[in-house]
Amino acid sequence: MEGWTKDIADGTMLYLHDNAGVRVDSFEIKNDHFQFSGEVTSPFDEYSIFFLKEEGYDACTFFVETGKMTFDARERDFMNAKITGSKLQSEKDEFFSLTYPLMKEQMALREQFRTTDTEDQKEIQAQIQEIQQKDTEITRAFIETHPNYYVSVLALWFLKNRAYPKAELQELYNGLNKEMKATDIAQGIKAFLEQSVDLAIGNQAPDFQLPNLENEPIKLSNFKGKYVLLEFGASGCGPCRMENPNLLKAYQKYQEKGFEILSVWLDTSHQQWTKTVEKDQMIWTSVSDLKGHHGAVPNTYKVYGIPDNYLLDPEGKIIALDLRGEALQKELEKLLASN
């Protein structure tokens, strides 16, 4: 890939990361120009290129394919550089041209929400929801009319994580062509459609078995007779890591009164999982199949975003959803303070 930038100082380093966040290369800008080459391992891999600034960083994410590619940010900002030489990137740009204006509107409204008076926030929130609905409609229409685009598969995953109705998600998945259905992301959507269960307060939590850090099989039903917080998180999830001190506080306070935590950790690296458990003092039980968001358990429990959790009673029935911070502490105090 050959690239051009605008007004970036000579000697500034650009860093290339794969879609797992691992650095695969770095190179230097000279006269607002850079160049790099390498082997493409998968036709569906996205990469990110970024450089550090005094405040934060600028980044651009794109598909890399075999052949001559160009990156041109001379007439655009870095994030929206014009990229040529990749069919997948051209397809992504086609979709992005429809959704980017709505994304900019949402960003502006979220900033307005952050700085406005409380009484006006409801109106702003309603505007954001209206834009999100438009975005969803555009995304659905694009998937329906572009069943042979890989970006349609990515857009379908996006809808899944927005808790899009399962029946409509199935319809859109059925419309994808054979090649797109064979991709890893589409197979993940298929697994979700097959495995997910509609769960609500009062339902029995589906039992499962996953290995802990020592590769010992742990069943959810092993905790029957205790109140259990079934917590979904991951090492790379900032809000999950921020919630861990609250979980530690709850566990230390109520564990002897009949409370347990079972963390289903959506990592793909045993080493990273181990580091997080040690650093965050996750002294309760955590399990993982190291399949990230594609495992059967997060699919069954319809985990769209993390952190997410279910609070179960001693019989294994769901009694509360998505408890965090003080809300968790108050619920446990109500249930266990007298024990």
Side-chain angles (χ1 to χ4, degrees):
M1 172 176 272
E2 186 171 16
W4 294 270
T5 60
K6 182 180 180 181
D7 299 329
I8 298 180
D10 284 1
T12 299
M13 296 300 298
L14 294 180
Y15 301 98
L16 184 70
H17 284 197
D18 64 18
N19 57 5
V22 177
R23 183 182 298 179
V24 295
D25 204 351
S26 62
F27 27 90
E28 188 176 328
I29 290 179
K30 186 175 181 180
N31 296 324
D32 273 318
H33 179 263
F34 66 89
Q35 197 164 2
F36 69 90
S37 60
E39 295 184 3
V40 177
T41 57
S42 167
F44 300 116
D45 282 348
E46 281 192 284
Y47 289 79
S48 294
I49 188 171
F50 71 93
F51 68 95
L52 302 176
K53 304 191 299 184
E54 287 186 8
E55 295 183 3
Y57 61 91
D58 266 355
C60 182
T61 301
F62 53 91
F63 289 101
V64 176
E65 297 182 58
T66 300
K68 183 179 179 181
M69 292 185 63
T70 63
F71 176 105
D72 193 343
R74 287 174 292 189
E75 303 297 329
R76 306 185 183 188
D77 59 62
F78 194 87
M79 185 182 76
N80 296 303
K82 182 175 178 58
I83 297 169
T84 61
S86 165
K87 176 178 177 291
L88 290 179
Q89 185 61 36
S90 295
E91 293 174 356
K92 178 183 173 182
D93 290 343
E94 185 179 344
F95 174 64
F96 198 58
S97 68
L98 301 174
T99 59
Y100 183 65
L102 295 177
M103 185 179 76
K104 286 184 69 175
E105 284 187 56
Q106 283 194 66
M107 290 172 62
L109 285 169
R110 291 185 189 283
E111 179 60 24
Q112 186 180 346
F113 181 90
R114 189 181 66 82
T115 58
T116 196
D117 294 333
T118 304
E119 60 185 40
D120 295 325
Q121 288 182 339
K122 286 185 178 180
E123 174 61 29
I124 296 171
Q125 189 62 42
Q127 292 178 49
I128 292 173
Q129 290 174 352
E130 184 178 339
I131 292 171
Q132 288 178 339
Q133 181 60 36
K134 287 181 183 178
D135 184 66
T136 297
E137 291 169 0
I138 289 172
T139 299
R140 179 190 174 102
F142 188 91
I143 296 169
E144 288 177 327
T145 55
H146 299 80
N148 59 330
Y149 277 23
Y150 182 61
V151 71
S152 292
V153 179
L154 299 179
L156 191 57
W157 183 265
F158 168 78
L159 288 184
K160 165 194 166 295
N161 287 346
R162 270 198 175 177
Y164 199 66
K166 188 174 175 179
E168 296 182 44
L169 198 71
Q170 181 76 62
E171 183 181 339
L172 290 171
Y173 170 81
N174 292 343
L176 296 174
N177 73 4
K178 186 176 180 180
E179 182 186 6
M180 292 303 103
K181 284 181 180 177
T183 61
D184 288 345
I185 297 294
Q187 287 297 300
I189 295 169
K190 179 184 178 183
F192 171 82
L193 291 168
E194 293 172 346
Q195 296 166 350
S196 61
V197 177
D198 290 326
L199 295 171
I201 291 174
N203 292 159
Q204 189 73 26
D207 198 12
F208 62 84
Q209 177 176 293
L210 287 176
N212 64 10
L213 277 170
E214 290 72 38
N215 205 33
E216 299 166 336
I218 303 295
K219 284 187 175 182
L220 174 61
S221 54
N222 292 348
F223 298 89
K224 202 165 184 179
K226 298 184 177 182
Y227 287 94
V228 179
L229 185 73
L230 180 58
E231 178 81 11
F232 293 90
S235 295
C237 165
C240 303
R241 303 291 298 275
M242 290 173 64
E243 183 63 15
N244 276 341
N246 183 55
L247 298 184
L248 178 61
K249 177 183 174 183
Y251 188 74
Q252 290 175 326
K253 185 173 182 179
Y254 295 108
Q255 193 265 340
E256 293 184 358
K257 296 184 176 185
F259 173 63
E260 284 291 342
I261 300 174
L262 178 59
S263 285
V264 179
W265 216 236
L266 308 185
D267 277 9
T268 56
S269 163
H270 190 278
Q271 181 181 21
Q272 187 61 56
W273 177 24
T274 302
K275 286 182 179 179
T276 301
V277 167
E278 293 174 352
K279 186 172 183 179
D280 291 5
Q281 300 180 65
M282 293 171 63
I283 57 176
W284 55 91
T285 304
S286 66
V287 295
S288 180
D289 58 9
L290 299 179
K291 294 181 181 179
H293 289 264
H294 300 291
V297 177
N299 277 340
T300 298
Y301 280 83
K302 284 190 172 179
V303 176
Y304 300 113
I306 50 176
D308 193 11
N309 61 46
Y310 293 79
L311 183 63
L312 315 181
D313 72 8
E315 297 301 314
K317 290 185 177 180
I318 299 167
I319 57 174
L321 306 170
D322 200 26
L323 293 171
R324 289 199 282 275
E326 283 303 310
L328 174 62
Q329 302 294 338
K330 288 179 180 178
E331 185 68 20
L332 293 177
E333 182 178 3
K334 181 175 68 176
L335 295 169
L336 297 167
S338 60
N339 285 15

mmCIF file of all heavy atoms in Angstrom, residues 156-184:
data_model
loop_
_atom_site.group_PDB
_atom_site.id
_atom_site.type_symbol
_atom_site.label_atom_id
_atom_site.label_comp_id
_atom_site.label_asym_id
_atom_site.label_seq_id
_atom_site.Cartn_x
_atom_site.Cartn_y
_atom_site.Cartn_z
ATOM 1 N N LEU A 156 -25.213 -7.155 9.388
ATOM 2 C CA LEU A 156 -26.161 -8.064 10.026
ATOM 3 C C LEU A 156 -25.721 -8.379 11.451
ATOM 4 O O LEU A 156 -26.542 -8.466 12.369
ATOM 5 C CB LEU A 156 -26.275 -9.354 9.210
ATOM 6 C CG LEU A 156 -27.400 -10.317 9.586
ATOM 7 C CD1 LEU A 156 -28.759 -9.625 9.520
ATOM 8 C CD2 LEU A 156 -27.381 -11.541 8.685
ATOM 9 N N TRP A 157 -24.419 -8.536 11.662
ATOM 10 C CA TRP A 157 -23.893 -8.731 13.020
ATOM 11 C C TRP A 157 -24.184 -7.509 13.881
ATOM 12 O O TRP A 157 -24.525 -7.617 15.064
ATOM 13 C CB TRP A 157 -22.401 -9.009 12.957
ATOM 14 C CG TRP A 157 -21.778 -9.282 14.289
ATOM 15 C CD1 TRP A 157 -21.143 -8.399 15.108
ATOM 16 C CD2 TRP A 157 -21.738 -10.545 14.982
ATOM 17 N NE1 TRP A 157 -20.708 -9.014 16.257
ATOM 18 C CE2 TRP A 157 -21.059 -10.328 16.209
ATOM 19 C CE3 TRP A 157 -22.202 -11.816 14.692
ATOM 20 C CZ2 TRP A 157 -20.840 -11.349 17.134
ATOM 21 C CZ3 TRP A 157 -21.990 -12.833 15.611
ATOM 22 C CH2 TRP A 157 -21.319 -12.588 16.807
ATOM 23 N N PHE A 158 -24.075 -6.332 13.282
ATOM 24 C CA PHE A 158 -24.387 -5.084 13.974
ATOM 25 C C PHE A 158 -25.851 -5.078 14.418
ATOM 26 O O PHE A 158 -26.174 -4.723 15.554
ATOM 27 C CB PHE A 158 -24.079 -3.908 13.050
ATOM 28 C CG PHE A 158 -24.605 -2.585 13.508
ATOM 29 C CD1 PHE A 158 -23.956 -1.865 14.496
ATOM 30 C CD2 PHE A 158 -25.753 -2.038 12.950
ATOM 31 C CE1 PHE A 158 -24.438 -0.635 14.919
ATOM 32 C CE2 PHE A 158 -26.242 -0.806 13.364
ATOM 33 C CZ PHE A 158 -25.580 -0.111 14.349
ATOM 34 N N LEU A 159 -26.754 -5.494 13.535
ATOM 35 C CA LEU A 159 -28.173 -5.550 13.892
ATOM 36 C C LEU A 159 -28.408 -6.562 15.005
ATOM 37 O O LEU A 159 -29.218 -6.330 15.914
ATOM 38 C CB LEU A 159 -29.020 -5.913 12.668
ATOM 39 C CG LEU A 159 -29.187 -4.847 11.591
ATOM 40 C CD1 LEU A 159 -30.131 -5.341 10.502
ATOM 41 C CD2 LEU A 159 -29.689 -3.530 12.160
ATOM 42 N N LYS A 160 -27.736 -7.692 14.934
ATOM 43 C CA LYS A 160 -27.848 -8.700 15.993
ATOM 44 C C LYS A 160 -27.501 -8.081 17.340
ATOM 45 O O LYS A 160 -28.192 -8.284 18.334
ATOM 46 C CB LYS A 160 -26.923 -9.873 15.701
ATOM 47 C CG LYS A 160 -26.672 -10.798 16.883
ATOM 48 C CD LYS A 160 -25.499 -11.717 16.608
ATOM 49 C CE LYS A 160 -25.021 -12.410 17.866
ATOM 50 N NZ LYS A 160 -24.461 -11.520 18.895
ATOM 51 N N ASN A 161 -26.426 -7.316 17.383
ATOM 52 C CA ASN A 161 -25.988 -6.717 18.645
ATOM 53 C C ASN A 161 -26.849 -5.543 19.070
ATOM 54 O O ASN A 161 -26.670 -5.022 20.168
ATOM 55 C CB ASN A 161 -24.524 -6.289 18.547
ATOM 56 C CG ASN A 161 -23.586 -7.482 18.560
ATOM 57 O OD1 ASN A 161 -23.990 -8.588 18.895
ATOM 58 N ND2 ASN A 161 -22.351 -7.275 18.182
ATOM 59 N N ARG A 162 -27.778 -5.134 18.216
ATOM 60 C CA ARG A 162 -28.767 -4.119 18.595
ATOM 61 C C ARG A 162 -30.067 -4.777 19.050
ATOM 62 O O ARG A 162 -31.098 -4.128 19.129
ATOM 63 C CB ARG A 162 -29.048 -3.183 17.421
ATOM 64 C CG ARG A 162 -28.140 -1.970 17.372
ATOM 65 C CD ARG A 162 -28.751 -0.903 16.474
ATOM 66 N NE ARG A 162 -27.955 0.308 16.506
ATOM 67 C CZ ARG A 162 -28.222 1.378 15.784
ATOM 68 N NH1 ARG A 162 -29.259 1.381 14.978
ATOM 69 N NH2 ARG A 162 -27.465 2.460 15.859
ATOM 70 N N ALA A 163 -30.004 -6.075 19.305
ATOM 71 C CA ALA A 163 -31.184 -6.841 19.735
ATOM 72 C C ALA A 163 -32.299 -6.766 18.692
ATOM 73 O O ALA A 163 -33.475 -6.639 19.021
ATOM 74 C CB ALA A 163 -31.675 -6.347 21.095
ATOM 75 N N TYR A 164 -31.913 -6.856 17.419
ATOM 76 C CA TYR A 164 -32.887 -6.845 16.334
ATOM 77 C C TYR A 164 -33.767 -8.084 16.449
ATOM 78 O O TYR A 164 -33.285 -9.161 16.827
ATOM 79 C CB TYR A 164 -32.131 -6.849 15.000
ATOM 80 C CG TYR A 164 -32.942 -6.404 13.817
ATOM 81 C CD1 TYR A 164 -33.407 -5.101 13.707
ATOM 82 C CD2 TYR A 164 -33.230 -7.290 12.785
ATOM 83 C CE1 TYR A 164 -34.146 -4.692 12.610
ATOM 84 C CE2 TYR A 164 -33.957 -6.892 11.679
ATOM 85 C CZ TYR A 164 -34.413 -5.590 11.604
ATOM 86 O OH TYR A 164 -35.151 -5.180 10.514
ATOM 87 N N PRO A 165 -35.063 -7.991 16.149
ATOM 88 C CA PRO A 165 -35.959 -9.144 16.296
ATOM 89 C C PRO A 165 -35.409 -10.393 15.611
ATOM 90 O O PRO A 165 -34.978 -10.342 14.452
ATOM 91 C CB PRO A 165 -37.252 -8.659 15.639
ATOM 92 C CG PRO A 165 -37.220 -7.174 15.801
ATOM 93 C CD PRO A 165 -35.779 -6.797 15.679
ATOM 94 N N LYS A 166 -35.466 -11.496 16.325
ATOM 95 C CA LYS A 166 -34.836 -12.735 15.852
ATOM 96 C C LYS A 166 -35.422 -13.209 14.527
ATOM 97 O O LYS A 166 -34.693 -13.661 13.633
ATOM 98 C CB LYS A 166 -34.965 -13.812 16.934
ATOM 99 C CG LYS A 166 -34.187 -15.073 16.648
ATOM 100 C CD LYS A 166 -34.261 -16.023 17.827
ATOM 101 C CE LYS A 166 -33.591 -17.355 17.523
ATOM 102 N NZ LYS A 166 -33.659 -18.266 18.685
ATOM 103 N N ALA A 167 -36.724 -13.133 14.379
ATOM 104 C CA ALA A 167 -37.365 -13.597 13.147
ATOM 105 C C ALA A 167 -36.898 -12.784 11.936
ATOM 106 O O ALA A 167 -36.654 -13.340 10.849
ATOM 107 C CB ALA A 167 -38.887 -13.509 13.280
ATOM 108 N N GLU A 168 -36.738 -11.477 12.115
ATOM 109 C CA GLU A 168 -36.291 -10.619 11.023
ATOM 110 C C GLU A 168 -34.800 -10.822 10.758
ATOM 111 O O GLU A 168 -34.348 -10.740 9.612
ATOM 112 C CB GLU A 168 -36.599 -9.159 11.351
ATOM 113 C CG GLU A 168 -38.097 -8.883 11.456
ATOM 114 C CD GLU A 168 -38.410 -7.431 11.735
ATOM 115 O OE1 GLU A 168 -37.792 -6.556 11.105
ATOM 116 O OE2 GLU A 168 -39.275 -7.167 12.600
ATOM 117 N N LEU A 169 -34.045 -11.099 11.811
ATOM 118 C CA LEU A 169 -32.627 -11.411 11.653
ATOM 119 C C LEU A 169 -32.473 -12.694 10.832
ATOM 120 O O LEU A 169 -31.619 -12.774 9.942
ATOM 121 C CB LEU A 169 -31.978 -11.574 13.031
ATOM 122 C CG LEU A 169 -30.455 -11.492 13.110
ATOM 123 C CD1 LEU A 169 -29.984 -10.068 12.868
ATOM 124 C CD2 LEU A 169 -29.977 -11.950 14.485
ATOM 125 N N GLN A 170 -33.302 -13.681 11.126
ATOM 126 C CA GLN A 170 -33.281 -14.942 10.385
ATOM 127 C C GLN A 170 -33.594 -14.710 8.912
ATOM 128 O O GLN A 170 -32.943 -15.285 8.023
ATOM 129 C CB GLN A 170 -34.301 -15.913 10.990
ATOM 130 C CG GLN A 170 -34.353 -17.274 10.302
ATOM 131 C CD GLN A 170 -33.188 -18.156 10.676
ATOM 132 O OE1 GLN A 170 -33.012 -18.510 11.836
ATOM 133 N NE2 GLN A 170 -32.377 -18.528 9.683
ATOM 134 N N GLU A 171 -34.573 -13.870 8.652
ATOM 135 C CA GLU A 171 -34.961 -13.569 7.270
ATOM 136 C C GLU A 171 -33.805 -12.940 6.496
ATOM 137 O O GLU A 171 -33.539 -13.305 5.341
ATOM 138 C CB GLU A 171 -36.169 -12.626 7.289
ATOM 139 C CG GLU A 171 -36.725 -12.289 5.922
ATOM 140 C CD GLU A 171 -37.902 -11.329 6.001
ATOM 141 O OE1 GLU A 171 -38.532 -11.245 7.077
ATOM 142 O OE2 GLU A 171 -38.187 -10.662 4.994
ATOM 143 N N LEU A 172 -33.110 -12.002 7.132
ATOM 144 C CA LEU A 172 -31.972 -11.350 6.475
ATOM 145 C C LEU A 172 -30.825 -12.329 6.265
ATOM 146 O O LEU A 172 -30.162 -12.313 5.219
ATOM 147 C CB LEU A 172 -31.506 -10.150 7.302
ATOM 148 C CG LEU A 172 -32.458 -8.958 7.332
ATOM 149 C CD1 LEU A 172 -31.992 -7.930 8.354
ATOM 150 C CD2 LEU A 172 -32.568 -8.317 5.960
ATOM 151 N N TYR A 173 -30.591 -13.192 7.265
ATOM 152 C CA TYR A 173 -29.532 -14.210 7.121
ATOM 153 C C TYR A 173 -29.873 -15.142 5.957
ATOM 154 O O TYR A 173 -29.002 -15.473 5.142
ATOM 155 C CB TYR A 173 -29.388 -15.009 8.413
ATOM 156 C CG TYR A 173 -28.499 -16.227 8.244
ATOM 157 C CD1 TYR A 173 -27.117 -16.102 8.289
ATOM 158 C CD2 TYR A 173 -29.065 -17.479 8.008
ATOM 159 C CE1 TYR A 173 -26.301 -17.209 8.103
ATOM 160 C CE2 TYR A 173 -28.250 -18.590 7.819
ATOM 161 C CZ TYR A 173 -26.877 -18.450 7.869
ATOM 162 O OH TYR A 173 -26.066 -19.545 7.672
ATOM 163 N N ASN A 174 -31.123 -15.574 5.856
ATOM 164 C CA ASN A 174 -31.533 -16.475 4.774
ATOM 165 C C ASN A 174 -31.295 -15.858 3.404
ATOM 166 O O ASN A 174 -31.061 -16.584 2.429
ATOM 167 C CB ASN A 174 -33.019 -16.836 4.920
ATOM 168 C CG ASN A 174 -33.290 -17.706 6.133
ATOM 169 O OD1 ASN A 174 -32.383 -18.309 6.692
ATOM 170 N ND2 ASN A 174 -34.552 -17.766 6.550
ATOM 171 N N GLY A 175 -31.345 -14.535 3.325
ATOM 172 C CA GLY A 175 -31.178 -13.855 2.046
ATOM 173 C C GLY A 175 -29.743 -13.719 1.578
ATOM 174 O O GLY A 175 -29.499 -13.382 0.406
ATOM 175 N N LEU A 176 -28.775 -13.963 2.459
ATOM 176 C CA LEU A 176 -27.371 -13.871 2.055
ATOM 177 C C LEU A 176 -27.033 -14.955 1.040
ATOM 178 O O LEU A 176 -27.612 -16.046 1.065
ATOM 179 C CB LEU A 176 -26.449 -14.028 3.274
ATOM 180 C CG LEU A 176 -26.538 -12.955 4.362
ATOM 181 C CD1 LEU A 176 -25.670 -13.353 5.544
ATOM 182 C CD2 LEU A 176 -26.131 -11.583 3.838
ATOM 183 N N ASN A 177 -26.075 -14.678 0.160
ATOM 184 C CA ASN A 177 -25.711 -15.715 -0.795
ATOM 185 C C ASN A 177 -24.815 -16.769 -0.136
ATOM 186 O O ASN A 177 -24.379 -16.622 1.013
ATOM 187 C CB ASN A 177 -25.057 -15.108 -2.045
ATOM 188 C CG ASN A 177 -23.637 -14.608 -1.816
ATOM 189 O OD1 ASN A 177 -23.070 -14.752 -0.739
ATOM 190 N ND2 ASN A 177 -23.048 -14.025 -2.854
ATOM 191 N N LYS A 178 -24.551 -17.833 -0.831
ATOM 192 C CA LYS A 178 -23.853 -18.995 -0.271
ATOM 193 C C LYS A 178 -22.461 -18.634 0.234
ATOM 194 O O LYS A 178 -22.042 -19.081 1.313
ATOM 195 C CB LYS A 178 -23.761 -20.090 -1.337
ATOM 196 C CG LYS A 178 -23.178 -21.399 -0.834
ATOM 197 C CD LYS A 178 -23.208 -22.452 -1.929
ATOM 198 C CE LYS A 178 -22.614 -23.771 -1.428
ATOM 199 N NZ LYS A 178 -22.641 -24.809 -2.498
ATOM 200 N N GLU A 179 -21.732 -17.823 -0.530
ATOM 201 C CA GLU A 179 -20.373 -17.455 -0.134
ATOM 202 C C GLU A 179 -20.370 -16.657 1.157
ATOM 203 O O GLU A 179 -19.542 -16.877 2.044
ATOM 204 C CB GLU A 179 -19.705 -16.644 -1.244
ATOM 205 C CG GLU A 179 -18.264 -16.257 -0.917
ATOM 206 C CD GLU A 179 -17.640 -15.336 -1.950
ATOM 207 O OE1 GLU A 179 -18.367 -14.889 -2.877
ATOM 208 O OE2 GLU A 179 -16.441 -15.032 -1.818
ATOM 209 N N MET A 180 -21.304 -15.727 1.292
ATOM 210 C CA MET A 180 -21.354 -14.901 2.496
ATOM 211 C C MET A 180 -21.789 -15.724 3.713
ATOM 212 O O MET A 180 -21.295 -15.505 4.823
ATOM 213 C CB MET A 180 -22.292 -13.716 2.290
ATOM 214 C CG MET A 180 -21.790 -12.691 1.290
ATOM 215 S SD MET A 180 -20.163 -12.002 1.720
ATOM 216 C CE MET A 180 -19.085 -12.881 0.578
ATOM 217 N N LYS A 181 -22.693 -16.680 3.517
ATOM 218 C CA LYS A 181 -23.111 -17.528 4.633
ATOM 219 C C LYS A 181 -21.975 -18.386 5.170
ATOM 220 O O LYS A 181 -22.006 -18.818 6.330
ATOM 221 C CB LYS A 181 -24.270 -18.434 4.199
ATOM 222 C CG LYS A 181 -25.607 -17.735 4.099
ATOM 223 C CD LYS A 181 -26.696 -18.713 3.700
ATOM 224 C CE LYS A 181 -28.048 -18.025 3.604
ATOM 225 N NZ LYS A 181 -29.100 -18.963 3.137
ATOM 226 N N ALA A 182 -20.961 -18.625 4.334
ATOM 227 C CA ALA A 182 -19.836 -19.463 4.743
ATOM 228 C C ALA A 182 -18.791 -18.714 5.557
ATOM 229 O O ALA A 182 -17.885 -19.329 6.133
ATOM 230 C CB ALA A 182 -19.172 -20.084 3.507
ATOM 231 N N THR A 183 -18.894 -17.382 5.654
ATOM 232 C CA THR A 183 -17.903 -16.606 6.397
ATOM 233 C C THR A 183 -18.045 -16.836 7.894
ATOM 234 O O THR A 183 -19.107 -17.229 8.377
ATOM 235 C CB THR A 183 -18.042 -15.099 6.101
ATOM 236 O OG1 THR A 183 -19.347 -14.670 6.518
ATOM 237 C CG2 THR A 183 -17.866 -14.821 4.612
ATOM 238 N N ASP A 184 -16.966 -16.594 8.621
ATOM 239 C CA ASP A 184 -16.978 -16.823 10.072
ATOM 240 C C ASP A 184 -18.057 -16.004 10.777
ATOM 241 O O ASP A 184 -18.736 -16.496 11.684
ATOM 242 C CB ASP A 184 -15.607 -16.495 10.663
ATOM 243 C CG ASP A 184 -14.546 -17.523 10.292
ATOM 244 O OD1 ASP A 184 -14.923 -18.617 9.834
ATOM 245 O OD2 ASP A 184 -13.342 -17.225 10.454
#
